[in-house]
Amino acid sequence: MIDYLSGIAEAHEVDPLLFVLIYLVSTGPFLLVSGWLFHHIRKQRPLALLTFIWALCYTAPYLYVLAVGRDLPLWVYGMVALLIIGGLWLAARGLMRRLHRADNC
């Protein structure tokens, strides 16, 4: 399986180790900005910049694949779109649930 995935990554010029590194490095800021965003929502402060940074932290590894990948099949674009849209939707839903619970306390 590893040989197969390495072959695909090599064929499309995507470094899987760099993908994992970007994923791991962006997870900490994503969690930090999530808390900061939660705080700003509760205090009704402007959210545009924080929301942009939050989304960028989440999508960074996928944007890497789209930026450097060569001759990617169409299904890869569909999967990346699903991962980005679905992940951001789930994260936003969780953030709003926490906000709703905090308001009810």
Side-chain angles (χ1 to χ4, degrees), residues 4-50:
Y4 173 73
L5 292 175
S6 294
I8 290 175
E10 199 172 296
H12 298 292
E13 299 179 18
V14 175
D15 183 0
L17 293 177
L18 185 55
F19 175 86
V20 170
L21 181 65
I22 293 170
Y23 182 85
L24 293 174
V25 167
S26 65
T27 299
F30 174 77
L31 295 173
L32 181 66
V33 172
S34 293
W36 201 8
L37 190 59
F38 179 73
H39 176 74
H40 276 255
I41 291 171
R42 284 185 56 179
K43 300 292 183 183
Q44 296 181 344
R45 293 186 180 152
L47 303 173
L49 180 61
L50 281 178

Side-chain angles (χ1 to χ4, degrees), residues 35-102:
W36 201 8
L37 190 59
F38 179 73
H39 176 74
H40 276 255
I41 291 171
R42 284 185 56 179
K43 300 292 183 183
Q44 296 181 344
R45 293 186 180 152
L47 303 173
L49 180 61
L50 281 178
T51 304
F52 174 76
I53 295 169
W54 181 71
L56 185 62
C57 289
Y58 177 79
T59 59
Y62 309 112
L63 294 176
Y64 163 73
V65 170
L66 295 178
V68 302
R70 301 287 179 250
D71 299 324
L72 295 172
L74 188 57
W75 67 267
V76 171
Y77 293 102
M79 287 302 295
V80 168
L82 276 173
L83 285 168
I84 290 172
I85 293 168
L88 289 175
W89 179 75
L90 286 172
R93 190 177 77 170
L95 193 63
M96 296 310 286
R97 277 187 185 160
R98 284 189 218 115
L99 178 64
H100 182 67
R101 270 190 247 137

